[in-house]
Amino acid sequence: MIVTIRDIAEKVGVSVTTVSRVLNNRGYLSDGLKKRVHEAMEEMNYQPNEVARSLSRKKSNILGLIIPDISHPFFAQMTKHMEYYAYKHGYKLMLCNSLLDKKKEKEYIDLLRASQVDGIIMGSHTMSVKEYLSIKLPLVTLDRQISESIPYISSDNYRGGSLATQLLLRKNCNKIAYLSGNLQLNMLAKQRHDAFVRQAKGKGVEYIVKQTDMNGFQYKKYENLVRELFQEHPDIDGVFASSDMLALQVVRECRRLGKSVPDQVKVVGYDGIQIGGTEDLTTIAQPIKEMGRLAVQHLLQQIAGEETPLETILPVKLLEKGTT
Amino acid sequence: MIVTIRDIAEKVGVSVTTVSRVLNNRGYLSDGLKKRVHEAMEEMNYQPNEVARSLSRKKSNILGLIIPDISHPFFAQMTKHMEYYAYKHGYKLMLCNSLLDKKKEKEYIDLLRASQVDGIIMGSHTMSVKEYLSIKLPLVTLDRQISESIPYISSDNYRGGSLATQLLLRKNCNKIAYLSGNLQLNMLAKQRHDAFVRQAKGKGVEYIVKQTDMNGFQYKKYENLVRELFQEHPDIDGVFASSDMLALQVVRECRRLGKSVPDQVKVVGYDGIQIGGTEDLTTIAQPIKEMGRLAVQHLLQQIAGEETPLETILPVKLLEKGTT
DNA sequence: TTGTACGCGTTATCAA
DNA sequence: TTGATAACGCGTACAA
């Protein structure tokens, strides 16, 4: 039933070593032999067993990817690119949604280790620094600086926050708000907030900061958050939302309230996700593709025992569209 | 460095068999022994090697998931639910984006087989029926009926098409259009088209059918498609789009052209994805969560050697919102 | 250039 | 109740 290297060896009349050599293209082999072995494989429909290989080589060619939620467009888009680069380099991706549940995240880490993955990309960060340090596996984190020893990939959050806020100020907004979703999603995102406050204070303009609680992201909560904002501060004329998803809710609420965007209220989002409805949204675009690519690349470098930069901070870009 | 079952055995002073038994909770074991073994595992920080287990048991507890593109919200959301149910039942998910590339899809199937996955969920269908039949692995397909032997999960496309079209007609549209993205994405989706045509013909109303080519989905193409539609038929007053992403483009184009929705043009989408911008979209909602759940369930049943229904067609629901 | 024999970490089949 | 020992399928020293 199952064709193994041994069956091929018998059929061709050589040893398993030779077959293995052909398979891995190692050592000296006569061309005739190579051909005969390949033919036999073809004929018997042989497929190498990666599990056996992994066990023997102590290398699985699998990467673990832990993110909060694949259904969030930001992660979905980055995951797409990570899968692309992983595949290109002969690696498979094991998808793990933590749902920002500490227990699940921990279980997945153990599971990934037990599965002998060669490395992990951590996009979810609910645990303590100490716990991450104890993972002892090649690791790359997204948007969180855990320690001096774990490389991370992020984009320039502070600059993003500045650009967004400056734009609102330049457009003569008088009362601006910073709206933030879950902070655990992206620990470095706090810098966007800091930049916002600093810019607002610098200009002496009135500003408000508002954020949801920590428990995952449900769009319903976004809706409520936005609704509250305008109830409490009907005179707001500029909003900087820390994600495009949130910004879309702002635009929607304005439409509902009959406030015209951008005339009465200007809206800037964050992320630069490409998805229905964001085409006309002014936003701070993160280089999602490049972040995904580098996350994989730096992980593979670690796996190969090479040096990788500890800190990778990519530039963001202001995309001015119709909401400002 | 690496702690194995053998180390534990030595430490406790029993055989590896016994340790394995404790690990799998099989056979008769004195409580004292169980405890001692567990303590030793704890102490030495032992973690079972799933790769070795897979090899020995001939079971990996990994499911392969092949979809066109995780960055498409429909697949991202369904994947979220599939991961949830897989995890719940002790299975991991290997994520594969085919990008609707026939070669990549085929390579991934081989790769998954080589990786000894226990089963595959196929949401991408670029190959021939014969090729799918030759996979010889537990299989479930999404939205494509491949043969009498491969179970599939879908929702009631024909009814969805009817509901959408009937709604447009009921709202007194006089010239309606059916807009469809890539058909390879969803082979059964043709039924939506059939239903549309039938309803339109039945009412004797003027109708147009328009679709993009087969090469993946780029939102830019959606945009062009929609633009063309309104250029060629400026008098259209009702659009049934075969996906929400497409429908959002229609709404956007209407806004751009100064046509009010729903007054001048009514728009119905398809899928029921939950994402910024779709909250106000009238759509035919597929039971995405349930589809994901059943895909996993039926796959696990096959893996367990149980019978599963060949055909699973779930009901759709018309959600009337602001665009009609 | 090719083969023998052992190891990878675990489970399963016997036997004790 | 417990223990030897042979698989699982492949890679690789070492030998020839």
Side-chain angles (χ1 to χ4, degrees):
Chain A
M1 189 63 202
I2 290 167
V3 184
T4 77
I5 213 179
R6 186 162 279 116
D7 301 318
I8 305 291
E10 260 177 43
K11 170 140 189 159
V12 182
V14 294
S15 74
V16 290
T17 313
T18 307
V19 178
S20 173
R21 282 222 184 80
V22 173
L23 206 58
N24 297 290
N25 209 13
R26 237 194 280 287
Y28 312 99
L29 302 156
S30 72
D31 282 359
L33 199 125
K34 268 192 200 174
K35 218 179 101 187
R36 274 189 298 146
V37 171
H38 277 128
E39 277 170 5
M41 286 178 173
E42 195 74 30
E43 211 174 306
M44 302 186 70
N45 205 0
Y46 169 77
Q47 278 206 308
N49 181 326
E50 285 296 329
V51 172
R53 286 183 138 173
S54 299
L55 182 61
S56 183
R57 288 182 176 149
K58 292 171 171 299
K59 183 155 189 332
S60 64
N61 277 34
I62 299 177
L63 305 181
L65 171 63
I66 306 185
I67 51 177
D69 183 352
I70 189 64
S71 77
H72 191 292
F74 179 71
F75 290 109
Q77 286 174 30
M78 196 179 291
T79 298
K80 171 188 178 162
H81 297 119
M82 295 195 287
E83 185 270 351
Y84 176 81
Y85 289 108
Y87 180 78
K88 205 171 156 184
H89 294 284
Y91 283 80
K92 291 147 280 176
L93 222 53
M94 206 158 256
L95 177 66
C96 314
N97 292 149
S98 74
L99 302 178
L100 295 181
D101 173 343
K102 196 172 160 149
K103 181 157 163 283
K104 193 175 178 196
E105 185 177 324
K106 182 132 189 52
E107 284 177 1
Y108 253 136
I109 289 175
D110 288 342
L111 204 54
L112 288 176
R113 197 212 316 279
S115 302
Q116 313 295 114
V117 299
D118 296 332
I120 300 181
I121 297 174
M122 289 283 332
S124 169
H125 323 282
T126 63
M127 311 188 320
S128 69
V129 168
K130 204 179 141 200
E131 288 174 296
Y132 288 109
L133 288 175
S134 73
I135 292 183
K136 304 217 182 298
L137 217 60
L139 215 62
V140 166
T141 64
L142 298 173
D143 271 321
R144 174 167 174 190
Q145 188 174 11
I146 286 183
S147 81
E148 300 294 315
S149 62
I150 302 178
Y152 71 90
I153 312 282
S154 73
S155 60
D156 194 340
N157 285 281
Y158 193 87
R159 180 162 169 72
S162 289
L163 285 173
T165 316
Q166 281 166 2
L167 177 65
L168 292 179
L169 297 174
R170 203 162 62 236
K171 298 274 181 175
N172 297 316
C173 292
N174 293 309
K175 182 168 180 181
I176 62 181
Y178 174 73
L179 223 51
S180 143
N182 192 312
L183 272 185
Q184 276 197 302
L185 220 71
N186 177 339
M187 312 293 273
L188 290 173
K190 196 175 173 313
Q191 297 178 4
R192 300 175 196 166
H193 163 269
D194 297 345
F196 170 82
V197 171
R198 178 155 189 179
Q199 293 287 340
K201 273 198 179 143
K203 278 279 185 178
V205 78
E206 197 179 347
Y207 70 91
I208 288 110
V209 169
K210 213 165 161 48
Q211 54 191 55
T212 59
D213 56 14
M214 292 292 189
N215 308 318
F217 30 48
Q218 290 122 29
Y219 301 135
K220 206 65 192 169
K221 288 210 173 148
Y222 284 8
E223 200 177 322
N224 294 337
L225 184 74
V226 173
R227 199 152 286 185
E228 272 172 39
L229 175 72
F230 282 105
Q231 272 164 9
E232 294 163 9
H233 307 280
D235 53 338
I236 275 187
D237 59 0
V239 179
F240 170 27
S242 72
S243 78
D244 287 341
M245 300 301 282
L246 205 41
L248 287 178
Q249 287 297 335
V250 175
V251 172
R252 184 174 168 234
E253 179 69 8
C254 287
R255 206 171 281 145
R256 215 181 59 89
L257 295 174
K259 292 174 185 280
S260 84
V261 175
D263 296 341
Q264 293 172 267
V265 180
K266 310 207 189 310
V267 182
V268 185
Y270 208 103
D271 283 346
I273 56 175
Q274 280 163 10
I275 224 163
T278 59
E279 296 92 343
D280 305 310
L281 183 69
T282 294
T283 193
I284 306 295
Q286 300 195 65
I288 299 183
K289 183 174 175 177
E290 188 64 5
M291 290 171 78
R293 188 180 75 78
L294 287 175
V296 172
Q297 188 187 97
H298 289 184
L299 189 57
L300 295 188
Q301 284 175 345
Q302 278 186 70
I303 292 170
E306 300 164 15
E307 285 289 312
T308 65
L310 285 177
E311 213 173 63
T312 305
I313 300 176
L314 299 169
V316 295
K317 205 153 71 184
L318 168 65
L319 299 184
E320 247 191 286
K321 302 285 185 59
T323 58
T324 48
Chain B
M1 187 66 201
I2 290 167
V3 184
T4 75
I5 212 176
R6 186 161 279 117
D7 301 319
I8 305 291
E10 260 176 45
K11 170 141 188 157
V12 181
V14 293
S15 74
V16 290
T17 312
T18 306
V19 178
S20 173
R21 281 221 185 80
V22 173
L23 205 57
N24 297 288
N25 209 12
R26 240 196 279 287
Y28 312 97
L29 302 157
S30 71
D31 282 359
L33 198 123
K34 269 192 199 172
K35 216 178 106 187
R36 274 188 298 147
V37 171
H38 277 128
E39 277 169 6
M41 287 178 173
E42 196 73 30
E43 210 174 306
M44 303 186 70
N45 205 0
Y46 167 78
Q47 278 206 308
N49 182 327
E50 285 297 329
V51 172
R53 285 183 143 175
S54 298
L55 181 62
S56 183
R57 289 184 176 146
K58 292 171 171 301
K59 184 151 187 335
S60 63
N61 277 32
I62 300 177
L63 304 181
L65 172 63
I66 305 185
I67 52 177
D69 182 352
I70 190 65
S71 77
H72 191 292
F74 180 71
F75 289 109
Q77 286 174 30
M78 198 181 294
T79 298
K80 172 189 179 162
H81 296 119
M82 295 194 288
E83 186 269 352
Y84 176 82
Y85 289 108
Y87 180 78
K88 205 169 153 184
H89 291 94
Y91 283 80
K92 289 148 281 177
L93 222 53
M94 206 158 255
L95 177 67
C96 314
N97 291 149
S98 75
L99 302 179
L100 295 180
D101 174 344
K102 196 175 160 143
K103 182 159 161 284
K104 194 174 178 198
E105 184 176 325
K106 182 136 188 49
E107 284 176 1
Y108 252 137
I109 289 174
D110 288 341
L111 204 54
L112 289 176
R113 198 212 315 280
S115 302
Q116 313 295 116
V117 300
D118 295 332
I120 300 181
I121 296 174
M122 291 282 332
S124 168
H125 323 280
T126 63
M127 312 189 319
S128 70
V129 169
K130 206 181 139 197
E131 288 173 295
Y132 289 109
L133 288 176
S134 73
I135 293 182
K136 304 220 181 298
L137 217 60
L139 216 62
V140 166
T141 64
L142 297 174
D143 270 321
R144 178 167 170 192
Q145 186 172 14
I146 286 182
S147 81
E148 302 294 315
S149 62
I150 302 179
Y152 70 91
I153 312 282
S154 73
S155 61
D156 194 340
N157 285 281
Y158 193 86
R159 179 161 169 75
S162 289
L163 285 173
T165 317
Q166 280 166 1
L167 177 64
L168 293 178
L169 297 174
R170 203 162 62 235
K171 297 274 180 175
N172 296 316
C173 292
N174 292 310
K175 183 170 179 180
I176 60 180
Y178 174 74
L179 224 52
S180 143
N182 193 311
L183 271 184
Q184 276 196 300
L185 221 74
N186 178 338
M187 313 293 273
L188 289 174
K190 197 175 173 313
Q191 296 178 4
R192 301 175 197 168
H193 163 268
D194 298 345
F196 170 82
V197 171
R198 175 152 190 182
Q199 293 286 339
K201 274 197 178 144
K203 278 279 184 179
V205 78
E206 199 179 344
Y207 70 91
I208 289 111
V209 169
K210 217 165 161 45
Q211 54 192 51
T212 59
D213 57 12
M214 292 293 188
N215 307 320
F217 29 49
Q218 291 121 27
Y219 302 136
K220 205 67 193 165
K221 288 209 173 147
Y222 284 8
E223 198 177 324
N224 294 337
L225 184 75
V226 173
R227 200 154 285 187
E228 272 172 39
L229 175 72
F230 282 105
Q231 273 163 7
E232 293 163 10
H233 306 280
D235 54 337
I236 274 187
D237 59 1
V239 179
F240 170 28
S242 71
S243 76
D244 288 340
M245 300 301 281
L246 206 42
L248 287 177
Q249 287 297 334
V250 175
V251 172
R252 182 172 170 237
E253 180 68 7
C254 287
R255 205 171 282 147
R256 214 182 60 88
L257 295 174
K259 291 174 185 280
S260 84
V261 175
D263 295 342
Q264 292 171 269
V265 181
K266 308 205 187 316
V267 182
V268 185
Y270 207 101
D271 284 345
I273 56 176
Q274 280 164 9
I275 224 166
T278 58
E279 296 93 342
D280 305 310
L281 184 68
T282 294
T283 193
I284 306 295
Q286 299 195 64
I288 299 183
K289 182 173 176 180
E290 187 65 4
M291 289 171 80
R293 188 179 75 78
L294 287 176
V296 172
Q297 187 187 99
H298 289 185
L299 189 57
L300 295 188
Q301 285 175 343
Q302 275 186 72
I303 291 170
E306 300 165 14
E307 285 289 313
T308 66
L310 286 177
E311 215 173 62
T312 305
I313 300 176
L314 299 170
V316 295
K317 204 152 72 184
L318 169 65
L319 298 184
E320 249 192 288
K321 302 283 185 63
T323 59
T324 49

